[in-house]
Amino acid sequence: MNKVKLCTLGTFRNGISFGKESYGPGLKIITVKDLFKGRYVSTTMLDELMPQALPSHYPNYLVEQGDLLFTRSSLTKTGAGMVAMVHQPAADTLFSGFIIRFRPHAQKCHPHYLLYLLRSPQYRKLLADSALQTNISNVNQDTLGNLSVTIPTMAQQEQIVSVLSALDDKIELNIRINTELEALAKICYHYWFGQYIFPDSLLPEDWHVQQLGAIAHTGSGGTPRSSQKTYYENGDIPWINSGELNHPYIATTTNYITEAGLDNSSARMFPENTLLVAMYGTTAGKTSLLRIPACTNQAVCAILPQDPRYTYYLKFALEAMYPYLTGLRSGSARENLSQDKIRALQITMPPLRDIRRFNAIVDPLVAQIVNHLRQNEELAKLRDWLLPIMMNDYIKK
């Protein structure tokens, strides 16, 4: 088992730079956002660039099966150097200038082994700590190339990949099942309630319209001072930020603060089944249902229905209002929503008998979704625990 620098195992290249005028039908382009959706680069719904708007040497920036792509820049320290693998790419797919491509030499290492090693908590922390800090976190080819990596024999690499891939396959299966379950719940919502959209349709006599602030309490949180390590180190209080609201249900998080961080900031605890709406950034207007007690930062509006039986209904109603919510954003530097705007939303309220029937269908679906999320958390912990255990076993041999 050898320790070598990553640069000896393959070649690096920074991605292609382009302007807004380059967008149009043609070549698919992988951007930073496509590297945060699992071990493989997300290749669905990729943006496209027109070949005639690119430099003639653009073929140098095409990806191949097995390429590893790293984020060069991130707004968060933990996002710098995130890596994902290109898997079954469409023909003529490029990667953007905020990404570094690493093309492993197949005879020297198994690409999937490197993927698991570089996505492990040990290497994620190493890259986060070595990122160059300005307003954003950056890594470069030198930082990546100088990483010391342990390389077992090819047979040992393949055994590690086989074990860890089986766990990831189960995680990805759970994600696909959850996508179908959530789609089924949305179909139920639209079947029962979707035809009644105020003020565009006539409501049944036993329906009424109320402002959200009249039927729910709202609140927000805060961020403990990042310079105070005692507010974060060994924290065990889940702390949700707006970026996590890309997921319709939150049953786990990777962000935690301490009791001291909670007591000395505006962060506040919210109970399970609190609705969360992102007010800032790229997720502004997104809605999630909190399935654990947790606190939030100031970019999240927490909504606690006065009648908890309306929680699922309000979740899907707010999700259906996403296009309208994005139109409410204002602010020059950052387009934000506000609690006042959210509280002023006009909500159509069906009678309780319909809500009971709806909940009877949706509650078991949500329970399955949350169970899969918790399964995935345990599977990911097992995967991350097994890698160093297997490595140590090979070293002893």
Side-chain angles (χ1 to χ4, degrees), residues 57-258:
H57 60 279
Y58 76 78
N60 293 333
Y61 304 98
L62 296 173
V63 298
E64 296 179 359
Q65 173 74 20
D67 284 347
L68 301 182
L69 302 184
F70 295 85
T71 57
R72 287 178 61 189
S73 302
S74 174
L75 294 173
T76 63
K77 186 177 179 181
T78 55
M82 175 55 73
V83 60
M85 177 180 282
V86 176
H87 183 63
Q88 298 178 348
D92 298 333
T93 300
L94 303 164
F95 66 105
S96 75
F98 289 103
I99 292 173
I100 299 172
R101 183 188 71 196
F102 180 71
R103 183 161 289 167
H105 297 314
Q107 68 275 19
K108 293 185 178 181
C109 59
H110 195 303
H112 274 88
Y113 167 75
L114 277 184
L115 175 70
Y116 281 115
L117 190 69
L118 295 169
R119 285 178 64 90
S120 67
Q122 173 192 352
Y123 278 87
R124 292 298 312 127
K125 184 177 186 306
L126 189 62
L127 281 169
D129 291 344
S130 61
L132 302 174
Q133 295 288 303
T134 53
N135 290 330
I136 58 176
S137 298
N138 298 283
V139 298
N140 54 37
Q141 290 188 28
D142 288 340
T143 304
L144 296 171
N146 286 319
L147 284 175
S148 178
V149 294
T150 303
I151 302 298
T153 67
M154 190 61 75
Q156 290 168 339
Q157 291 179 51
E158 289 173 352
Q159 187 175 18
I160 289 171
V161 168
S162 175
V163 172
L164 301 187
S165 290
L167 295 172
D168 265 340
D169 289 344
K170 174 57 176 170
I171 289 172
E172 289 164 5
L173 175 61
N174 282 347
I175 291 171
R176 291 195 297 273
I177 293 172
N178 276 4
T179 300
E180 295 298 323
L181 291 171
E182 177 68 358
L184 182 57
K186 285 184 176 180
I187 289 171
C188 293
Y189 167 80
H190 287 291
Y191 175 80
W192 280 88
F193 311 116
Q195 68 270 39
Y196 303 120
I197 303 174
F198 178 81
D200 298 326
S201 59
L202 187 65
L203 298 180
E205 289 184 4
D206 49 359
W207 285 50
H208 60 282
V209 178
Q210 286 190 283
Q211 286 191 341
L212 182 63
I215 58 172
H217 304 291
T218 66
S220 188
T223 300
R225 246 188 352 264
S226 58
S227 59
Q228 189 62 257
K229 290 185 178 180
T230 58
Y231 292 170
Y232 294 93
E233 287 184 350
N234 301 315
D236 58 1
I237 300 172
W239 180 60
I240 310 300
N241 62 59
S242 61
E244 296 176 81
L245 271 62
N246 258 327
H247 304 286
Y249 302 90
I250 297 176
T252 63
T253 184
T254 57
N255 301 307
Y256 294 87
I257 62 174
T258 62

